[in-house]
Amino acid sequence: RKEVEQDPGPFNVPEGATVAFNCTYSNSASQSFFWYRQDCRKEPKLLMSVYSSGNEDGRFTAQLNRASQYISLLIRDSKLSDSATYLCVVNYPGGSYIPTFGRGTSLIVHP
Amino acid sequence: GAVVSQHPSRVICKSGTSVKIECRSLDFQATTMFWYRQFPKQSLMLMATSNEGSKATYEQGVEKDKFLINHASLTLSTLTVTSAHPEDSSFYICSARAITGDNTGELFFGEGSRLTVL
Protein backbone atom coordinates (compact mmCIF):
# COMPACT_ATOMS: atom_id res chain seq x y z
CA ARG A 1 0.00 0.00 0.00
CA LYS A 2 1.45 3.33 -1.04
CA GLU A 3 1.80 5.76 1.81
CA VAL A 4 0.26 9.06 2.67
CA GLU A 5 2.11 10.80 5.43
CA GLN A 6 1.11 13.61 7.73
CA ASP A 7 2.61 15.14 10.84
CA PRO A 8 0.20 14.05 13.57
CA GLY A 9 0.84 17.19 15.63
CA PRO A 10 -0.87 18.42 17.68
CA PHE A 11 -0.55 21.93 16.37
CA ASN A 12 -1.49 24.18 19.25
CA VAL A 13 -2.22 27.74 18.08
CA PRO A 14 -3.99 30.82 19.43
CA GLU A 15 -7.16 32.17 17.90
CA GLY A 16 -6.43 34.32 14.90
CA ALA A 17 -3.23 32.52 13.99
CA THR A 18 -2.40 31.16 10.57
CA VAL A 19 -1.45 27.51 10.46
CA ALA A 20 -0.38 25.23 7.63
CA PHE A 21 -0.26 21.46 7.27
CA ASN A 22 1.46 19.38 4.66
CA CYS A 23 0.73 15.90 3.44
CA THR A 24 3.16 13.91 1.32
CA TYR A 25 2.29 11.03 -0.95
CA SER A 26 4.52 8.47 -2.54
CA ASN A 27 2.74 7.48 -5.75
CA SER A 28 3.36 10.00 -8.51
CA ALA A 29 0.41 8.60 -10.47
CA SER A 30 -2.07 9.74 -7.82
CA GLN A 31 -5.09 11.31 -9.40
CA SER A 32 -7.08 13.31 -6.92
CA PHE A 33 -6.64 14.77 -3.50
CA PHE A 34 -8.88 15.94 -0.71
CA TRP A 35 -8.75 17.38 2.77
CA TYR A 36 -11.24 16.01 5.26
CA ARG A 37 -11.99 17.19 8.76
CA GLN A 38 -12.75 14.74 11.54
CA ASP A 39 -14.08 15.75 14.92
CA CYS A 40 -13.57 13.49 17.90
CA ARG A 41 -15.54 10.24 17.62
CA LYS A 42 -17.29 11.42 14.45
CA GLU A 43 -17.07 10.49 10.81
CA PRO A 44 -14.81 12.50 8.48
CA LYS A 45 -16.40 15.30 6.48
CA LEU A 46 -15.07 16.80 3.29
CA LEU A 47 -13.37 20.12 3.81
CA MET A 48 -12.18 20.75 0.29
CA SER A 49 -10.84 19.17 -2.83
CA VAL A 50 -7.32 20.00 -3.94
CA TYR A 51 -6.85 21.08 -7.52
CA SER A 52 -3.64 21.54 -9.46
CA SER A 53 -4.36 25.24 -9.69
CA GLY A 54 -4.96 25.57 -5.97
CA ASN A 55 -8.25 25.99 -4.22
CA GLU A 56 -9.44 28.64 -1.79
CA ASP A 57 -12.60 28.60 0.29
CA GLY A 58 -12.87 31.45 2.75
CA ARG A 59 -10.12 31.08 5.33
CA PHE A 60 -8.94 27.78 3.87
CA THR A 61 -6.49 27.37 1.01
CA ALA A 62 -5.37 24.04 -0.40
CA GLN A 63 -2.52 23.58 -2.82
CA LEU A 64 -0.98 20.72 -4.73
CA ASN A 65 2.69 20.41 -5.57
CA ARG A 66 3.03 17.48 -7.95
CA ALA A 67 6.76 17.90 -8.44
CA SER A 68 7.42 17.45 -4.73
CA GLN A 69 4.40 15.20 -4.20
CA TYR A 70 2.68 17.01 -1.41
CA ILE A 71 -0.52 18.84 -0.72
CA SER A 72 -0.97 21.61 1.77
CA LEU A 73 -3.76 23.17 3.76
CA LEU A 74 -3.52 26.71 5.05
CA ILE A 75 -5.96 28.03 7.63
CA ARG A 76 -6.03 31.77 8.22
CA ASP A 77 -7.55 33.58 11.21
CA SER A 78 -8.01 30.33 13.14
CA LYS A 79 -11.21 29.91 15.13
CA LEU A 80 -11.82 27.79 18.18
CA SER A 81 -14.19 25.74 16.07
CA ASP A 82 -11.36 24.81 13.73
CA SER A 83 -10.02 22.45 16.40
CA ALA A 84 -10.20 19.00 14.84
CA THR A 85 -8.13 16.42 13.04
CA TYR A 86 -7.41 17.15 9.39
CA LEU A 87 -7.04 14.14 7.15
CA CYS A 88 -5.57 14.19 3.70
CA VAL A 89 -6.86 11.67 1.23
CA VAL A 90 -5.13 10.58 -1.93
CA ASN A 91 -6.82 8.55 -4.63
CA TYR A 92 -4.38 6.02 -5.98
CA PRO A 93 -4.96 4.50 -9.39
CA GLY A 94 -5.71 0.84 -9.38
CA GLY A 95 -9.10 -0.63 -9.99
CA SER A 96 -11.54 1.65 -8.28
CA TYR A 97 -9.05 4.39 -7.37
CA ILE A 98 -8.55 3.45 -3.77
CA PRO A 99 -8.81 6.41 -1.39
CA THR A 100 -5.96 6.28 1.07
CA PHE A 101 -5.92 8.33 4.24
CA GLY A 102 -3.09 9.94 6.08
CA ARG A 103 -3.17 9.48 9.83
CA GLY A 104 -4.37 13.02 10.30
CA THR A 105 -3.00 16.20 11.81
CA SER A 106 -4.50 17.37 15.06
CA LEU A 107 -5.18 21.09 15.42
CA ILE A 108 -6.00 22.73 18.72
CA VAL A 109 -6.98 26.37 18.63
CA HIS A 110 -6.98 28.01 22.06
CA PRO A 111 -8.33 31.38 23.23
CA GLY B 1 -25.12 16.84 -0.55
CA ALA B 2 -25.21 13.11 -0.82
CA VAL B 3 -26.06 11.21 2.33
CA VAL B 4 -24.80 7.88 3.52
CA SER B 5 -26.61 6.29 6.41
CA GLN B 6 -24.87 3.75 8.60
CA HIS B 7 -26.61 1.64 11.21
CA PRO B 8 -26.28 0.88 14.07
CA SER B 9 -24.26 3.80 15.38
CA ARG B 10 -23.32 1.95 18.52
CA VAL B 11 -23.40 -1.71 19.41
CA ILE B 12 -22.24 -3.70 22.38
CA CYS B 13 -22.09 -7.46 22.08
CA LYS B 14 -20.72 -10.49 23.82
CA SER B 15 -17.61 -12.22 22.64
CA GLY B 16 -18.37 -14.90 20.08
CA THR B 17 -21.47 -13.29 18.64
CA SER B 18 -21.85 -11.75 15.18
CA VAL B 19 -22.71 -8.17 14.41
CA LYS B 20 -24.05 -6.75 11.15
CA ILE B 21 -23.50 -3.13 10.13
CA GLU B 22 -25.45 -1.60 7.26
CA CYS B 23 -24.36 1.20 4.98
CA ARG B 24 -26.89 2.84 2.67
CA SER B 25 -26.50 5.59 0.11
CA LEU B 26 -29.75 7.49 0.43
CA ASP B 27 -29.88 9.73 -2.62
CA PHE B 28 -27.36 8.35 -5.04
CA GLN B 29 -26.15 5.06 -6.40
CA ALA B 30 -22.79 3.77 -5.34
CA THR B 31 -21.20 0.96 -7.28
CA THR B 32 -18.27 1.05 -4.90
CA MET B 33 -18.29 1.36 -1.14
CA PHE B 34 -15.33 1.24 1.18
CA TRP B 35 -15.16 -0.11 4.70
CA TYR B 36 -12.70 1.41 7.15
CA ARG B 37 -11.74 0.71 10.72
CA GLN B 38 -10.32 3.29 13.06
CA PHE B 39 -8.72 2.60 16.41
CA PRO B 40 -8.29 5.46 18.92
CA LYS B 41 -5.79 8.08 17.75
CA GLN B 42 -5.10 6.10 14.59
CA SER B 43 -5.89 6.83 11.00
CA LEU B 44 -8.68 5.21 9.06
CA MET B 45 -7.47 1.87 7.80
CA LEU B 46 -9.10 0.48 4.70
CA MET B 47 -10.47 -2.98 5.32
CA ALA B 48 -12.10 -3.78 2.03
CA THR B 49 -13.54 -2.38 -1.15
CA SER B 50 -17.09 -3.47 -1.79
CA ASN B 51 -18.31 -3.63 -5.37
CA GLU B 52 -21.95 -4.11 -6.21
CA GLY B 53 -22.67 -7.56 -7.50
CA SER B 54 -19.20 -8.97 -6.98
CA LYS B 55 -16.96 -10.18 -4.20
CA ALA B 56 -15.31 -7.63 -1.99
CA THR B 57 -11.60 -6.95 -2.28
CA TYR B 58 -9.93 -7.24 1.10
CA GLU B 59 -6.78 -5.47 2.22
CA GLN B 60 -3.83 -7.50 3.34
CA GLY B 61 -4.25 -8.74 6.88
CA VAL B 62 -8.04 -8.49 6.91
CA GLU B 63 -9.71 -11.88 7.26
CA LYS B 64 -12.45 -12.21 4.69
CA ASP B 65 -14.13 -15.04 6.62
CA LYS B 66 -14.31 -12.90 9.72
CA PHE B 67 -15.43 -9.68 8.10
CA LEU B 68 -18.15 -10.65 5.66
CA ILE B 69 -19.10 -7.98 3.17
CA ASN B 70 -22.16 -8.08 0.98
CA HIS B 71 -23.01 -5.44 -1.60
CA ALA B 72 -26.22 -6.75 -3.10
CA SER B 73 -27.58 -3.48 -4.45
CA LEU B 74 -26.37 -0.10 -5.62
CA THR B 75 -27.51 1.48 -2.38
CA LEU B 76 -26.66 -1.05 0.31
CA SER B 77 -23.51 -2.71 1.58
CA THR B 78 -23.27 -4.69 4.80
CA LEU B 79 -20.35 -5.68 6.98
CA THR B 80 -20.78 -8.61 9.34
CA VAL B 81 -18.21 -9.14 12.06
CA THR B 82 -18.43 -12.84 12.79
CA SER B 83 -17.48 -14.39 16.12
CA ALA B 84 -16.48 -10.99 17.46
CA HIS B 85 -13.73 -10.73 20.05
CA PRO B 86 -12.69 -7.81 22.26
CA GLU B 87 -9.84 -6.93 19.88
CA ASP B 88 -12.46 -6.27 17.20
CA SER B 89 -13.77 -3.37 19.25
CA SER B 90 -13.30 -0.33 17.05
CA PHE B 91 -14.99 2.42 15.06
CA TYR B 92 -16.15 1.06 11.71
CA ILE B 93 -16.95 3.54 8.97
CA CYS B 94 -18.30 2.99 5.50
CA SER B 95 -18.02 5.38 2.64
CA ALA B 96 -19.51 5.57 -0.80
CA ARG B 97 -18.10 7.32 -3.78
CA ALA B 98 -20.29 9.57 -5.85
CA ILE B 99 -20.13 8.38 -9.42
CA THR B 100 -17.94 10.51 -11.66
CA GLY B 101 -16.61 9.73 -15.09
CA ASP B 102 -13.07 9.17 -13.91
CA ASN B 103 -14.07 7.36 -10.72
CA THR B 104 -12.20 9.81 -8.53
CA GLY B 105 -15.11 11.65 -6.93
CA GLU B 106 -15.76 12.76 -3.41
CA LEU B 107 -16.28 10.19 -0.70
CA PHE B 108 -19.35 10.43 1.49
CA PHE B 109 -19.10 8.80 4.86
CA GLY B 110 -21.57 7.07 7.05
CA GLU B 111 -21.79 8.23 10.64
CA GLY B 112 -19.75 5.27 11.79
CA SER B 113 -20.52 2.33 14.06
CA ARG B 114 -18.78 2.01 17.36
CA LEU B 115 -18.46 -1.67 18.23
CA THR B 116 -17.64 -2.80 21.74
CA VAL B 117 -17.13 -6.49 22.30
CA LEU B 118 -17.26 -7.58 25.92
Side-chain angles (χ1 to χ4, degrees), chain B residues 86-102:
Chain B
E87 57 267 28
D88 297 324
S89 299
S90 186
F91 191 48
Y92 293 86
I93 308 177
C94 72
S95 69
R97 170 178 281 142
I99 301 299
T100 60
D102 61 2

Side-chain angles (χ1 to χ4, degrees), chain B residues 4 12-13 20 22 26 30 35 55 70 74 89 91 98 115:
Chain B
V4 174
I12 301 172
C13 69
K20 179 186 282 189
E22 292 188 349
L26 296 184
W35 286 95
K55 291 182 179 180
N70 183 279
L74 287 171
S89 299
F91 191 48
L115 171 64

